[in-house]
Amino acid sequence: MESAVEFYETLDDLKYPLLNRYTRPVPRMQRAVIGREKEEGVILSSFLRPEISNVILLGDAGSGKTTLVKNLALKDRSRFYLEVDVAKMTAGELDATQLAGTLKSLADEVELCTKEYDKEIVLFMDEIHQLAKISDMAFEALKPILAESGTRRLRILSATTYDEFDKYIAGNQALVERLQRVNLIQPDEDTVLAILEGMVKRYAPEQWGYDIVDGEKVFDKSNLKLQHLFHMIYKYTNLYVPANSQPRKSIDVLDAMIGRSLFEDRDLDLELLSDVLLVSQGVRVNLKVDAGSIKKRLDEKVFQQSLATTAVENALQRCVAKLNDESRPMSCMLLTGSTGTGKTELCKQLAILLFNDKRSLIRIDMTEYSTDESVERFREELTRLVWERPFSIVLFDEIEKASPLVTKMLLPVLDDARLINKYNREVSFKNCYIMMTTNAASEVYKQVGDYSPTSVEEQIFELERLMPLIKDSIVKTTKGGGFPPELLGRMDAIIPFQPLSEETFKNIVLLRQEDLRQKLWDTHQVSIGYSEKVADTVVFDRLISDTDNGGARSVIKEFDKFVVAPVAAFLNRYITPDLDRNIILRVEIEGKTRFEDPTQLNSEAKVVVYCDDPIIKRQMELDRKKASEERLRALRQAEIEAEIKKKFEKKREA
């Protein structure tokens, strides 16, 4: 009996119930494993140790731990390789005591099997740290099994990541002493390229090119085009996919490329690589920046901030042209000004512009890290988010609200584009755009916003002249807070956002009207129109006219409350799913506004939604009639209650 599959099929369910329930043969590899000969030798020699013949494979996710075991099962015919379903054991099926007993009984069954079949058995326990998550009892049950493995012809081959090993296993010295540690370092570029070449020859041979000689495929000795492609896959995955290890991340990208190539009948080339990375990582590796289009795009979404969009566009040009300092983040900018002026919106639009995905904006609310005790929590959250999405815009919102210890942690990020997480893993920020916002010293920026020059070039010149005053004001405003002066010195640009004008507020309302129009059509197939008075009423009547009113957020909030709410109420009352006719709504303003009559203390304006559909009009008329009747009844009831109260008071006086 040569294979573990054949062996497994002969197991008696009654004699070996645990083996049948919690193990399965390790599947064989479908392709050759390259570059792990040294590790394979260490494992096989460990299996020959007379006493403790157990191994733990350590490596980051994607380093090839499971692949190595599959390859061993294929090559080593002297042993049966079975994989233990650790997840099934720890999924709530067994409590801690039962789990410990099951492990002991499983080892007993394996020993019985080795005697019956006269062959060593290797139990592969992937993610062995899962046992520790349930109870220490499981690890205690493992210790005698590991200690006696050599004499029982049982070999334990386990695997976990460095992080999980440090967290759950390293502290248990007795357990560690019973395991031969094998580190799976990431393979070099030549090894990864050889793996990728083998994948193409196996799964997409026509892309490589071959001849048939004596019934066998004979490939060209080289394919320079594909060799360059493999190099770029390796380069880009290291750059944009740090949350996984080589060779897995290169294999995954090429695997996706082969799938799309077969489905779309496309060549394996750099264009396809770019498309795959855009879908999987949100990264545009072939980004080309056109100055005019960038500024135009930002100005369409961020109103009245031409100075800010120009400064951001200039910084972006340097980064994409690779003229920035490659030892630091792509760019570090401080966005300043009153709330609601467009600072966060600009960052959102940059995420869409650069990465085609608004999720590439990592926003961290610094008010959540205002205490010194939050430092490690901040480190963990920041490194985790950037590790998962290394090519991103990292926005530290309201940076002045953070603890000084938190902001000082950012200094190595700004200087060297790196930060060490709690597992001693270095996380790179070299592909991040660092953006910070602050409302500090907003009164200075109100003055800056009132530049006499009208051209952007003149404004930039004026800004540079006032920059010492601006920096001093920020530091003074945040004295004792979270904005140390040394942080300012590491900014590539300090960009003021001007207070928004009433005209800008109106443009924001008009944009919201269009958004509502599109949403109504997409969701309900309902059209809507607005009277010209609607936008004016929101801005000049409903909104408090001062520069500290919350900016765009206040306008949006007021529009939602004043316009969207009554439209939503109308939809919920009159628009039913069975309507198959063209419904057109009209939003009007009824009542006198304060901008029409400044002598009014209180506005009489309200939104009224009209519809010319005959069925809806009839229902609206019935509702109005019913409401009028209810008001009359309420009035009569109030009169009756007043009369009763009056009679009662007279009687009490008498």
Side-chain angles (χ1 to χ4, degrees):
M1 189 178 298
E2 290 288 328
S3 78
V5 175
E6 295 172 336
F7 153 73
Y8 195 77
E9 289 175 347
T10 66
L11 286 178
D12 187 330
D13 289 354
L14 297 177
K15 191 175 182 179
Y16 303 108
L18 298 178
L19 276 170
N20 279 285
R21 182 172 181 79
Y22 293 115
T23 71
R24 58 182 177 269
V26 171
R28 293 187 174 184
M29 279 297 298
Q30 299 300 310
R31 55 179 174 79
V33 175
I34 300 172
R36 292 300 186 191
E37 293 80 10
K38 180 180 178 181
E39 290 85 353
E40 289 176 0
V42 174
I43 296 170
L44 293 174
S45 65
S46 296
F47 287 167
L48 295 175
R49 293 173 61 171
E51 293 186 0
I52 299 176
S53 50
N54 314 293
V55 174
I56 184 166
L57 303 177
L58 297 179
D60 292 325
S63 58
K65 300 184 292 294
T66 304
T67 300
L68 175 59
V69 176
K70 290 180 180 179
N71 196 52
L72 277 175
L74 176 65
K75 296 167 66 174
D76 183 13
R77 300 303 180 105
S78 64
R79 302 176 180 88
F80 293 142
Y81 286 73
L82 301 179
E83 182 176 3
V84 180
D85 194 340
V86 176
K88 189 175 184 179
M89 279 187 170
T90 57
E93 199 171 275
L94 305 170
D95 60 29
T97 304
Q98 291 171 329
L99 180 59
T102 298
L103 288 171
K104 182 181 181 302
S105 298
L106 181 64
D108 293 339
E109 287 188 12
V110 171
E111 184 178 15
L112 186 63
C113 248
T114 62
K115 294 177 180 178
E116 180 177 346
Y117 291 88
D118 193 27
K119 210 163 188 177
E120 291 180 357
I121 292 177
V122 178
L123 290 183
F124 174 48
M125 305 181 74
D126 198 10
E127 297 188 357
I128 191 174
H129 62 272
Q130 294 289 347
L131 297 175
K133 289 184 176 181
I134 301 300
S135 170
D136 291 337
M137 292 179 64
F139 272 178
E140 292 303 313
L142 267 182
K143 288 178 184 178
I145 298 173
L146 296 171
E148 300 167 2
S149 61
T151 58
R152 301 176 74 174
R153 303 184 74 189
L154 161 65
R155 279 75 176 114
I156 302 294
L157 178 57
S158 57
T160 188
T161 65
Y162 291 111
D163 294 346
E164 304 294 353
F165 180 84
D166 292 339
K167 189 173 182 180
Y168 295 107
I169 300 175
N172 195 325
Q173 188 62 30
L175 187 69
V176 172
E177 290 174 352
R178 291 167 170 80
L179 293 166
Q180 171 69 49
R181 180 169 170 168
V182 177
N183 295 307
L184 268 67
I185 62 173
Q186 295 192 48
D188 58 22
E189 181 177 358
D190 290 341
T191 301
V192 175
L193 267 54
I195 294 171
L196 301 181
E197 178 180 321
M199 287 181 64
V200 172
K201 289 180 177 179
R202 178 178 177 85
Y203 301 117
E206 68 283 350
Q207 297 271 1
W208 188 277
Y210 64 90
D211 295 321
I212 303 296
V213 180
D214 297 330
E216 298 288 333
K217 292 179 181 177
V218 179
F219 291 91
D220 299 335
K221 290 185 178 180
S222 68
N223 185 317
L224 295 180
K225 178 184 174 184
L226 285 177
Q227 292 289 358
H228 178 66
L229 176 66
F230 300 153
H231 169 73
M232 298 309 296
I233 291 175
Y234 180 82
K235 176 182 177 180
Y236 285 152
T237 53
N238 282 337
L239 192 60
Y240 303 131
V241 196
N244 214 330
S245 298
Q246 298 289 6
R248 172 49 54 194
K249 55 188 177 184
S250 288
I251 292 172
D252 286 346
V253 168
L254 180 57
D255 192 54
M257 291 177 65
I258 291 173
R260 287 192 60 169
S261 170
L262 295 173
F263 180 73
E264 300 174 5
D265 192 23
R266 294 174 60 180
D267 290 337
L268 294 174
D269 54 22
L270 293 176
E271 183 180 357
L272 182 57
L273 171 60
S274 178
D275 291 347
V276 167
L277 288 175
L278 180 60
V279 171
S280 63
Q281 304 298 320
V283 176
R284 289 185 179 181
V285 298
N286 59 348
L287 174 68
K288 301 296 182 183
V289 176
D290 177 69
S293 64
I294 287 179
K295 179 162 173 57
K296 182 181 178 183
R297 175 87 168 263
L298 293 176
D299 286 338
E300 287 174 353
K301 298 293 184 180
V302 185
F303 297 112
Q304 199 187 319
Q305 303 298 347
S306 181
L307 176 62
T309 57
T310 299
V312 170
E313 188 273 328
N314 289 340
L316 189 62
Q317 288 280 25
R318 293 193 298 271
C319 297
V320 177
K322 308 297 182 184
L323 298 179
N324 58 308
D325 186 349
E326 295 186 359
S327 67
R328 301 181 68 228
M330 300 293 284
S331 187
C332 305
M333 288 179 274
L334 176 64
L335 313 181
T336 67
S338 304
T339 183
T341 51
K343 300 185 295 293
T344 303
E345 183 63 27
L346 183 141
C347 295
K348 290 180 181 178
Q349 295 306 318
L350 272 182
I352 297 171
L353 177 66
L354 293 174
F355 316 123
N356 201 38
D357 190 348
K358 61 182 179 181
R359 293 174 299 178
S360 294
L361 172 64
I362 299 174
R363 180 183 175 274
I364 299 177
D365 186 354
M366 300 305 284
T367 59
E368 297 180 5
Y369 305 99
S370 58
T371 63
D372 293 348
E373 292 74 23
S374 63
V375 171
E376 288 307 315
R377 179 166 57 87
F378 173 73
R379 180 197 300 271
E380 182 179 357
E381 182 72 0
L382 177 59
T383 52
R384 180 185 65 83
L385 292 170
V386 176
W387 180 260
E388 293 174 353
R389 195 173 282 274
F391 206 95
S392 57
I393 292 174
V394 184
L395 171 60
F396 300 103
D397 208 5
E398 297 190 271
I399 184 68
E400 79 278 3
K401 302 292 180 62
S403 160
L405 292 180
V406 171
T407 52
K408 286 180 180 179
M409 185 182 290
L410 293 175
L411 295 179
V413 172
L414 303 181
D415 283 335
D416 307 316
R418 61 184 179 87
L419 190 64
I420 306 298
N421 70 3
K422 65 178 183 180
Y423 301 116
N424 206 35
R425 171 188 286 157
E426 184 176 288
V427 178
S428 174
F429 288 75
K430 289 183 179 180
N431 300 304
C432 295
Y433 294 81
I434 305 297
M435 315 292 281
M436 301 181 184
T437 72
T438 179
N439 301 326
S442 58
E443 71 283 351
V444 176
Y445 294 103
K446 293 173 188 176
Q447 299 173 13
V448 175
D450 294 330
Y451 293 135
S452 55
T454 56
S455 72
V456 174
E457 291 77 13
E458 289 177 310
Q459 290 181 357
I460 292 175
F461 177 81
E462 184 72 7
L463 176 62
E464 290 297 324
R465 188 181 68 82
L466 295 173
M467 191 53 65
L469 174 64
I470 293 170
K471 290 181 178 180
D472 182 65
S473 182
I474 291 175
V475 173
K476 287 181 178 179
T477 304
T478 59
K479 188 176 181 180
F483 213 113
E486 57 265 32
L487 204 63
L488 284 176
R490 288 165 170 82
M491 295 293 109
D492 297 326
I494 299 176
I495 304 170
F497 277 63
Q498 304 176 20
L500 303 183
S501 65
E502 291 180 336
E503 182 182 357
T504 299
F505 288 153
K506 187 173 179 178
N507 288 333
I508 293 171
V509 173
L510 294 175
L511 184 62
R512 296 291 289 185
Q513 288 183 173
E514 288 304 309
D515 290 344
L516 179 59
R517 188 198 309 273
Q518 189 63 51
K519 186 172 290 187
L520 282 176
W521 180 254
D522 293 342
T523 307
H524 304 281
Q525 287 71 58
V526 171
S527 302
I528 190 171
Y530 309 88
S531 93
E532 294 181 1
K533 195 175 175 182
V534 172
D536 289 337
T537 303
V538 173
V539 175
F540 303 112
D541 188 70
R542 303 286 299 184
L543 194 67
I544 299 174
S545 298
D546 63 41
T547 55
D548 295 319
N549 59 7
R553 292 189 183 92
S554 291
V555 182
I556 294 170
K557 183 179 180 181
E558 196 61 45
F559 179 81
D560 290 345
K561 181 173 63 176
F562 186 62
V563 179
V564 178
V567 171
F570 187 95
L571 289 174
N572 294 332
R573 177 68 181 95
Y574 299 111
I575 307 300
T576 58
D578 59 338
L579 289 176
D580 58 357
R581 54 194 183 274
N582 185 29
I583 302 297
I584 302 175
L585 307 183
R586 180 75 180 171
V587 178
E588 300 282 354
I589 300 294
E590 289 188 355
K592 191 173 291 185
T593 64
R594 283 180 296 185
F595 68 87
E596 292 175 318
D597 183 3
T599 62
Q600 289 190 131
L601 295 177
N602 298 306
S603 174
E604 299 174 354
K606 65 177 182 177
V607 164
V608 180
V609 183
Y610 292 101
C611 181
D612 290 333
D613 182 82
I615 297 177
I616 294 177
K617 285 180 69 176
R618 186 162 55 253
Q619 184 61 52
M620 290 175 66
E621 184 59 36
L622 291 173
D623 287 347
R624 280 193 290 268
K625 184 177 179 181
K626 183 179 179 181
S628 178
E629 291 173 350
E630 288 178 352
R631 283 195 298 272
L632 286 173
R633 281 196 298 270
L635 182 61
R636 291 184 186 126
Q637 183 65 31
E639 290 174 349
I640 293 171
E641 291 176 356
E643 187 65 28
I644 294 173
K645 183 179 180 181
K646 186 177 179 182
K647 289 180 179 179
F648 177 76
E649 289 176 350
K650 285 184 178 180
K651 188 175 181 181
R652 187 175 61 179
E653 290 174 358

